[in-house]
Amino acid sequence: MVQIDALIFNEIPKGKPIPGQTLKKVQQELDLDAPLQDGEILVKTTALSLDPYQRGRMRPEEVESYVPAFKLGQPIDNFGVGEVVKSSNSQFQKGQRVYGYLKFQTYQVVSKEATAGLRVLENKEGLPWTNWVGAAGMPGQTAWYAIEKLSGLKKGESVFISGAMGPVGQLAIALAHKIGAKVVASAGSKEKCDFLKNELKVERVFNYKEEDPNQVLAAWNKEQGKPFEVYIDNVAGPQLEAALNHIGKRGRIVAIGAINDYNGEPYGIKNIFYVVGKELRYEGFIILNRMTPELFKEFYSEIPPALASGEFAKPKEHIFNGLDNGEAFASLFDSQNSNFGKAVISLE
Ligand SMILES: NC(=O)c1ccc[n+]([C@@H]2O[C@H](COP(=O)([O-])OP(=O)(O)OC[C@H]3O[C@@H](n4cnc5c(N)ncnc54)[C@H](OP(=O)(O)O)[C@@H]3O)[C@@H](O)[C@H]2O)c1
C-alpha cells in the first residue's frame, strides 16, 4: 500500500471556487502491487491541466450541460499526461506516456473502458510533458480550430484576441501571425501585457482593467484605415460589447469562452443587433465535439513540430508543483493573482 494524494470535489461553489472548500486535497491508499483486471492500466500521473470549463462541472449532477458534472466526494478529472507503470492491456506498454482524461490523483488505475479515450504520446518532438495539455493539447486544438477552421482570417487582416495570455490566446496569436494578420490583444496585468508585446510581438496590447476596449479598438481601426475583421472571444462581457461596436462589416466573431461570466450573473450584451446590422458571422463551438480523427491528425502534424522547431514561441506555462487544495484552479478566476500562462499541475 502507498499513500497517494487526490483532489476531491468537496462542495458546489456559489461564485468563485474557494481553495480547501470547493476542492480539498486528501490522502488515499492504493495497492500498487494488486493485480490489474483485464484491460486496466496503472498510471503514475505526470501533469494535469487546469481549465476554466471545469468551473462549469462544479454543479449539481442533475443539471445538464455539454460535459458531466463532477461527483461530490470524488476526485475531479481533466486532461492529463501519465506514465504507464503496469499494464494488463495490449494497447499500452510500461513506460509509455498517455494523454487523456485522468483523475486528479498521483497514481491511478484506469479502467478498460476509460483507456479507450487515451492516446499514447510518442513525443518525437521532445516537448515538455506539460505542453501536451496546453499548446499541444485541448486548448491548443481550440485556438487552432478557431483560427484555421472557423475565422477565415486572411493575410492583411487584423484580429482582436481577448484572454490573450492563456493557452488558447497564445496559440491563436501565433497562428494569426503565421497567416500574416496583425493582432490586437488584451490581458489583465502589466506583466502579461509586456510579455505579449515583447515576447509574442503582438502589434497592439492593452490591459482591459485599465484601458477602455472601445477607445483602443477605435484608435486601432483609425490607425489601420479599416476596422479589424475578426474577434476571437475568450471572455465575453464588456470586451465582446466593444468588439461588436468596432468590428467591421461582415466581420467574423468566434465565440470560444465567456470567462467574464463563469462565476456570476452573465454581463448582458446590449448591442447584439450589430450581428444583423453589420452582417456578422458569430459562431461558437465546443472543441470536444469538433475534433475528428482527420482533424487530430492535421493538428498533431502541424502544431507540436511548430512548437519544437521554434517557429512558434515557447508556450508560457504557469506550473504548479504537486496537488494543492484547489489554489491552482482558483488562480484561473483570481483577478489579482491569476495564472501567468497555461495553468498546469506538474507531478514529476
Ligand atoms: N469552446 C471550447 O471548446 C473551449 C476550449 C478551451 C477553452 N475555452 C475557453 O477559452 C477561454 C480561454 O481558455 P484558456 O484555457 O486559455 O484559459 P486562461 O486564459 O488561462 O483562463 C484564465 C485567465 O482568464 C482571465 N480572466 C479571468 N477572469 C476574467 C474576466 N472577468 N475577464 C477577462 N478575463 C478574465 C485571467 O487572465 P487576465 O489576467 O488576463 O484577466 C486568467 O488568467 C476560456 O473562456 C475557456 O473557457 C473554450
Side-chain angles (χ1 to χ4, degrees):
M1 286 287 175
V2 292
Q3 293 272 322
I4 63 160
D5 290 338
L7 188 62
I8 299 294
F9 181 37
N10 187 56
E11 190 184 282
I12 297 171
K14 297 190 177 72
K16 290 187 184 184
I18 302 170
Q21 199 171 309
T22 310
L23 298 174
K24 210 171 175 171
K25 182 163 95 170
V26 297
Q27 292 219 308
Q28 295 178 338
E29 292 203 322
L30 188 70
D31 185 358
L32 299 183
D33 299 321
L36 295 171
Q37 304 277 333
D38 181 42
E40 287 181 341
I41 58 174
L42 175 67
V43 167
K44 179 178 186 300
T45 317
T46 308
L48 291 164
S49 182
L50 299 158
D51 292 290
Y53 90 100
Q54 290 175 287
R55 173 64 183 82
R57 300 184 65 187
M58 297 176 173
R59 62 177 197 270
E61 272 187 70
E62 62 278 11
V63 177
E64 295 270 318
S65 185
Y66 65 94
V67 269
F70 290 132
K71 287 189 188 340
L72 281 168
Q74 299 289 318
I76 63 165
D77 64 3
N78 197 18
F79 293 97
V81 175
E83 181 180 352
V84 179
V85 177
K86 221 160 75 173
S87 173
S88 151
N89 184 319
S90 58
Q91 305 290 315
F92 301 93
Q93 272 82 54
K94 183 174 181 296
Q96 284 177 329
R97 302 277 175 146
V98 290
Y99 166 78
Y101 270 102
L102 293 177
K103 290 182 185 151
F104 277 49
Q105 291 180 181
T106 40
Y107 280 89
Q108 53 203 291
V109 174
V110 183
S111 69
K112 184 178 180 182
E113 297 71 47
T115 60
L118 296 180
R119 161 188 293 271
V120 174
L121 294 175
E122 288 180 37
N123 199 5
K124 284 184 274 198
E125 302 83 1
L127 297 175
W129 294 113
T130 48
N131 281 191
W132 292 94
V133 297
M138 184 279 284
Q141 288 152 19
T142 304
W144 175 80
Y145 189 82
I147 293 281
E148 294 207 357
K149 304 295 171 190
L150 288 185
S151 75
L153 186 66
K154 292 186 276 296
K155 189 173 177 189
E157 291 188 331
S158 62
V159 52
F160 170 34
I161 301 174
S162 57
M165 257 319 292
V168 175
Q170 288 182 52
L171 195 67
I173 291 167
L175 291 165
H177 279 159
K178 186 179 171 189
I179 287 170
K182 289 183 185 167
V183 178
V184 181
S186 66
S189 72
K190 182 180 182 309
E191 293 70 27
K192 289 184 183 182
C193 288
D194 287 348
F195 187 92
L196 290 165
K197 187 170 159 224
N198 301 329
E199 306 295 326
L200 303 191
K201 312 292 179 210
V202 171
E203 285 76 8
R204 175 69 166 95
V205 179
F206 70 99
N207 180 343
Y208 69 91
K209 293 174 182 166
E210 292 180 351
E211 284 190 80
D212 177 356
N214 281 293
Q215 284 182 8
V216 174
L217 296 173
W220 172 263
N221 289 349
K222 201 168 163 201
E223 226 174 270
Q224 301 302 309
K226 65 179 176 114
F228 65 95
E229 288 85 358
V230 172
Y231 175 41
I232 299 294
D233 188 13
N234 283 314
V235 304
Q239 296 194 69
L240 170 57
E241 211 162 70
L244 283 163
N245 283 335
H246 298 284
I247 196 168
K249 284 197 182 116
R250 304 221 168 167
R252 291 89 71 195
I253 298 180
V254 183
I256 296 187
I259 199 163
N260 182 71
D261 296 345
Y262 290 176
N263 290 294
E265 281 297 303
Y267 172 75
I269 302 295
K270 293 177 277 297
N271 55 354
I272 201 74
F273 186 71
Y274 278 134
V275 174
V276 182
K278 295 187 183 186
E279 299 186 89
L280 304 177
R281 187 152 60 74
Y282 184 8
E283 184 168 358
F285 71 98
I286 296 295
I287 196 63
L288 305 179
N289 299 338
R290 298 292 176 108
M291 292 299 287
T292 59
E294 294 72 35
L295 289 177
F296 274 123
K297 208 170 153 204
E298 219 183 301
F299 173 83
Y300 283 117
S301 64
E302 182 182 341
I303 301 302
L307 295 167
S309 69
E311 181 190 354
F312 292 166
K314 186 168 170 259
K316 173 78 174 156
E317 297 178 332
H318 190 141
I319 297 180
F320 297 85
N321 286 305
L323 284 174
D324 58 17
N325 257 318
E327 287 87 351
F329 180 67
S331 79
L332 294 172
F333 311 102
D334 184 337
S335 50
Q336 301 305 316
N337 202 15
S338 58
N339 56 304
F340 192 159
K342 166 67 193 150
V344 54
I345 293 173
S346 170
L347 296 170
E348 288 216 276

